[in-house]
Amino acid sequence: MTTQPPSFSPDPSRKRQRPRNPSLEQQKEEDFSPSIPHSLKESDSPINSELSDHQTLPPSFSPRVDRRAVPERRSIRHQDTGTPTSDHCESSGSRSTPLPGQEVPHRVQATMPPSFQPARRTPLTSPHPHPARSAPASSPRFSGFTPTNRVSPSTVPARSPGRKRRRWPGFLVGVLVTAILIFVGWPAFLIWDANAHLERVSALSAAPDTPGTTWLLAGSDSRADGAVSDGAEGQRSDSIVLIHQAPNGQTSMVSIPRDTYVEIPEYGWSKINAAYSYGGPELLVQTVEKLTTLTVDHYVEIGMGGVAHIVDSLGGIELCMDMDVSDEYSQLNWTAGCHVSDGTTALAFSRMRYADPLGDIGRTQRQRQVISQTVATALSPSTLVHPGRTLSLERAGSSAITVDKNASVLDVARLLLAFKKAQKDQLVGAPPIASLNEQTAAGSSVLLVDTTAPRFFSAMRTGTLTAEDFIQKF
């Protein structure tokens, strides 16, 4: 016999008592009294007379019999007949609730017919047996009740991920596509657009190649772009910069003064800037190759207006000079110190030479400073991560630069990286100068050591230059 937990036992205090109506009960008794034998009336029954003071609850409010346990069979003999019977037969199948203070008659449990006996349940078995858990002893609700089987946590199916987790692959794909467009698509567009706007000119010679890579950067003083309106006619190479990357990786940058006395092919000895006015970029390249014994691989030219436009696209660059200047030729007005300069000021800063005690040597130093600050600002993260600024820089540079027919924007980019490396290694300057004011057939000229500085350019070609080779001793 299974003992029921206290929580399943009927609570006598919850049974409701129906109010009595004497008149209604008397009427019912009169209506049914003719058909009921006198021997079966309530007043003649010894048990019903004892419980006649209260009303029996309807069957729906009676507590359910515990069908899970087989009731204990207790037989007694009827007082009158002596036959075995049960306490469930004391009244016609209904049970009454005792009143407060009233003695409850003895009851016995009746044996249920076989058809109403509950079937014995087979305990569930788990493929992964585990010890049963017992309820806390302090809890009266679970006293006497021990679970016999539980489902193992390992057999519970895993919870399927929610919608948000299923969206993660799509989100990552979107981020990847966006990153590709930013880091690949945008630079590719800038390269294509720059190549489309670059101007090209025939400049390279047919001289045999020399080891390494050599770039020739020339600044034109042509007034055709309107950057300077001083009435001067024609055009010359206002600045000449030779950048060479030797086979051993050494990168050096040499600024050749514009008044350097050299031999121009088919024209004889004259100032080097005259080569541009005589035969344009091609004759200038041939003159530089004859002086340095290096074959030029790429030619890059920029006008005075291009310098101003590039600097303005960067929002200005910081330039420094330790003297006050007021030069009417270059229109430069400068206070000693460092200042953020716009395009017009940067152009005047790189052109000024009459107010400089070093003359053309001082001008080449300021030109390298303008180029250095422009490259540093253009390659800074603040410029590269700003799409509007990079597009403005690309449009200003591609429209201001002219290259040889074999060059592309990638060659210009390699030129900027080579320039930056030369600056870092401190291999920048002018070739050794013997005199700044040498009187020649072309007038006052710059004369190099041994006329053409052969040992200097030989070391440059082999990549054996040192920082001391750029120190001037005139």
Side-chain angles (χ1 to χ4, degrees), residues 199-256:
E199 293 187 13
R200 289 173 170 82
V201 65
S202 178
L204 302 182
S205 67
D209 293 337
T210 53
T213 305
T214 306
W215 293 269
L216 179 60
L217 175 62
S220 172
D221 63 355
S222 173
R223 272 63 171 173
D225 54 12
V228 177
S229 56
D230 54 3
E233 297 179 358
Q235 60 180 10
R236 286 179 170 82
S237 53
D238 195 54
S239 60
I240 302 171
V241 179
L242 189 69
I243 301 175
H244 177 70
Q245 189 173 32
N248 62 357
Q250 185 187 80
T251 305
S252 56
M253 182 178 65
V254 177
S255 296
I256 303 176

Side-chain angles (χ1 to χ4, degrees), residues 307-339:
V307 174
H309 293 159
I310 293 175
V311 172
D312 287 336
S313 68
L314 296 173
I317 57 176
E318 185 178 21
L319 300 175
C320 300
M321 187 166 55
D322 56 359
M323 63 180 181
D324 296 336
V325 175
S326 179
D327 184 41
E328 60 178 351
Y329 295 99
S330 63
Q331 300 179 358
L332 175 65
N333 295 307
W334 188 269
T335 303
C338 297
H339 308 282

Side-chain angles (χ1 to χ4, degrees), residues 83-367:
T83 59
T85 183
S86 62
D87 59 348
H88 287 278
C89 299
E90 63 185 52
S91 62
S92 57
S94 63
R95 295 166 59 182
S96 60
T97 303
L99 297 175
Q102 183 177 2
E103 183 179 358
V104 181
H106 177 72
R107 301 175 184 176
V108 295
Q109 296 182 355
T111 303
M112 299 179 62
S115 59
F116 289 93
Q117 292 183 1
R120 186 177 300 275
R121 297 180 179 178
T122 303
L124 299 175
T125 58
S126 173
H128 305 282
H130 56 83
R133 300 179 183 176
S134 59
S138 60
S139 176
R141 180 176 179 180
F142 295 97
S143 59
F145 175 75
T146 302
T148 58
N149 47 57
R150 291 182 183 271
V151 180
S152 175
S154 61
T155 63
V156 178
R159 186 176 182 181
S160 59
R163 287 186 177 181
K164 293 184 177 179
R165 292 186 179 180
R166 288 197 296 267
R167 290 177 181 175
W168 272 106
F171 174 76
L172 293 177
V173 171
V175 172
L176 181 60
V177 171
T178 304
I180 292 175
L181 291 176
I182 293 176
F183 294 102
V184 178
W186 181 246
F189 167 76
L190 293 178
I191 294 174
W192 172 83
D193 190 66
N195 274 322
H197 289 84
L198 278 177
E199 293 187 13
R200 289 173 170 82
V201 65
S202 178
L204 302 182
S205 67
D209 293 337
T210 53
T213 305
T214 306
W215 293 269
L216 179 60
L217 175 62
S220 172
D221 63 355
S222 173
R223 272 63 171 173
D225 54 12
V228 177
S229 56
D230 54 3
E233 297 179 358
Q235 60 180 10
R236 286 179 170 82
S237 53
D238 195 54
S239 60
I240 302 171
V241 179
L242 189 69
I243 301 175
H244 177 70
Q245 189 173 32
N248 62 357
Q250 185 187 80
T251 305
S252 56
M253 182 178 65
V254 177
S255 296
I256 303 176
R258 56 173 287 175
D259 292 338
T260 302
Y261 194 63
V262 297
E263 183 181 2
I264 301 176
E266 299 180 2
Y267 286 90
W269 289 84
S270 184
K271 295 180 182 179
I272 194 171
N273 65 343
Y276 190 92
S277 62
Y278 291 159
E282 289 182 326
L283 187 56
L284 176 64
V285 168
Q286 294 175 17
T287 303
V288 172
E289 289 177 344
K290 188 174 182 61
L291 171 67
T292 63
T293 66
L294 289 169
T295 300
V296 175
D297 297 301
H298 296 292
Y299 173 82
V300 180
E301 179 184 322
I302 183 170
M304 290 189 294
V307 174
H309 293 159
I310 293 175
V311 172
D312 287 336
S313 68
L314 296 173
I317 57 176
E318 185 178 21
L319 300 175
C320 300
M321 187 166 55
D322 56 359
M323 63 180 181
D324 296 336
V325 175
S326 179
D327 184 41
E328 60 178 351
Y329 295 99
S330 63
Q331 300 179 358
L332 175 65
N333 295 307
W334 188 269
T335 303
C338 297
H339 308 282
V340 176
S341 307
D342 59 5
T344 303
T345 305
L347 176 60
F349 185 88
S350 63
R351 292 182 62 242
M352 188 271 296
R353 63 169 177 164
Y354 292 104
D356 191 343
L358 294 178
D360 204 32
I361 299 299
R363 181 170 67 170
T364 58
Q365 294 175 351
R366 288 189 297 277
Q367 288 174 350

Side-chain angles (χ1 to χ4, degrees), residues 354-435:
Y354 292 104
D356 191 343
L358 294 178
D360 204 32
I361 299 299
R363 181 170 67 170
T364 58
Q365 294 175 351
R366 288 189 297 277
Q367 288 174 350
R368 291 195 300 269
Q369 184 180 166
V370 171
I371 297 174
S372 175
Q373 290 299 104
T374 301
V375 172
T377 307
L379 298 180
S380 64
S382 60
T383 301
L384 297 178
V385 301
H386 196 293
R389 187 171 295 177
T390 54
L391 181 61
S392 177
L393 174 62
E394 178 266 318
R395 291 288 174 85
S398 60
S399 61
I401 292 176
T402 301
V403 298
D404 63 89
K405 291 185 177 181
N406 297 332
S408 68
V409 68
L410 296 180
D411 296 310
V412 177
R414 295 188 186 99
L415 169 63
L416 298 180
L417 294 177
F419 180 87
K420 189 174 182 179
K421 186 177 186 302
Q423 287 281 105
K424 180 180 178 182
D425 297 339
Q426 298 182 354
L427 296 178
V428 295
I433 298 174
S435 174

